[in-house]
Every structure is written in C-alpha cells, then in structure tokens.
Amino acid sequence: MKAMKRIFLTLFFAVYCIACFSQTWPKTTPAYYAMKKQADEYKVKYRGSVNASLRFGDPFVGRYGITIVNGISVGDYFSAGLGTGIFYYTQRYYKETWQIPIFLNFETNLSKGHKLTPYLDVNVGYSSLNSFFVAPSAGVKLDLDGKRALKFSLGYNYERYTGSLDKMYDTGEVVYKVPVLDEFGNQVYENGKPVYKEMIGNFVELNDVRKKLKGLVFSIGFQF
C-alpha cells in the first residue's frame, strides 16, 4: 500500500510540475510567442456562407439564385469551400428554367481586424444543365461579432453551355419573334433596329439561340 501511495504521489507531483511549467516558463520565452503567432496565422477552422444573388446586364436572360458554401478558412486571409444552391432563369423569349450548380469557392480578405473588411472571391463550377461558369467578385464584409458577418459584393458572371440542351421551348402554333444573334452572341441590328426571326410550332434549341450568358452580379450574404 505504501509503495502504491508513493507511486501515486510521485505521479501527481510530476503532473502538477508539468502543468505549472507549461503555464509559466514557456510563456516568458520568445520561442513561445513565435510558436503561438505561427499557430494563430495558420489555424484552420470551418467557414460557411449563404448568399442571394441577382444577375443583370444581359438583355435576354435574368437570373436569381441562392447558394450555400461550406469550407475552411486558413488564418485570417484565405478560405476555400464547396458550394451548391439553385438558380432561376427568367428568359425573355424561351422557357424559364431552374439550375442546380456545384462549384468551388475561393476567397481572400484584403485586411483584418476592421469592422468593414474588403475581400475578393471567385466561384468556378458547373450547373445541372451542363454549363460551365466562372464568377469573380469584389465586396466588403460587415463584422457582427468576430465570427459572423454580412457580405455585399458586385461581380461578373460568365456562363457557357457545354452540353446539349434540347427542347428549350415548345412554341406550339403561336408565332414567336426570336432575336437574331451574331457569332459572339450579340444582337444583330439593321438600320439601327434589332433583327428578329419567326419560330412556329418547333422546339427551339438553345445552341441555336444562346451559347453564353454574361452580366454583372449583385450579391448579399451571411457568413458564419
């Protein structure tokens, strides 16, 4: 019994000394502060955000969307994540459609420790309708409590259909006027007036009409 008590007291004293040692001496050395600074700079933690966006500037197709990004942040400046959501397209001449995107998000803060933090980010991915898109943007974050923030950004979205999108719109027996576009996807004009063609009773293939969509994107989000 006495031997067991000595062993227990010895172990207890050793643990106590180690605890005291870790709480006092290391904090008084330059090496401790250097290691702590390095750990703070490169610490990794979860970072998520929910964003609502509106694309405008394209005269024929509008887009509204909600996306969510789940990822990680490294230090105070960089984060990366995987996002998804849903986009609703209001097309002026063709069938309105829904798309579910899957994309990578990369974001970098341009400063830290301020109530308003400027940042840059970019989304790169595909939608459920076989379209590739890239969307860089710049904005500011309004810090709420050190962990959560409101986000406001303005960016540019470029989207190109890389797959076949058949049966975009069934016009039935009604005559629809369809804008004539050049090889770059721009409206064709004659004598200062836009040129249209008539479509009757057949499906309109997307590749015959619109191969790429682009425009400015305004976004409001919540980061957590």
Side-chain angles (χ1 to χ4, degrees), residues 18-146:
I18 292 172
C20 293
F21 183 77
S22 64
Q23 294 295 321
T24 56
W25 180 79
K27 291 186 177 181
T28 64
T29 64
Y32 169 81
Y33 291 106
M35 293 178 63
K36 185 176 185 302
K37 181 180 179 181
Q38 187 177 22
D40 290 341
E41 288 179 352
Y42 294 99
K43 62 184 177 182
V44 177
K45 58 185 178 181
Y46 169 79
R47 178 73 72 189
S49 65
V50 178
N51 305 279
S53 65
L54 164 65
R55 184 175 68 192
F56 57 95
D58 191 304
F60 304 111
V61 183
R63 191 195 72 180
Y64 309 86
I66 296 177
T67 58
I68 182 170
V69 176
N70 290 285
I72 58 172
S73 64
V74 182
D76 297 310
Y77 291 98
F78 178 77
S79 65
L82 181 65
T84 188
I86 189 166
F87 289 139
Y88 178 61
Y89 288 74
T90 57
Q91 303 200 43
R92 184 175 175 183
Y93 297 102
Y94 312 108
K95 183 179 179 182
E96 297 180 350
T97 58
W98 297 87
Q99 294 193 40
I100 299 175
I102 298 177
F103 58 91
L104 293 174
N105 170 263
F106 302 96
E107 181 180 302
T108 179
N109 294 330
L110 301 181
S111 66
K112 68 174 183 177
H114 303 288
K115 191 68 175 178
L116 287 176
T117 301
Y119 73 94
L120 302 173
D121 77 344
V122 61
N123 295 329
V124 181
Y126 275 84
S127 74
S128 58
L129 294 182
N130 296 321
S131 64
F132 166 80
F133 68 91
V134 57
S137 66
V140 293
K141 299 178 186 178
L142 175 62
D143 181 64
L144 299 178
D145 58 8

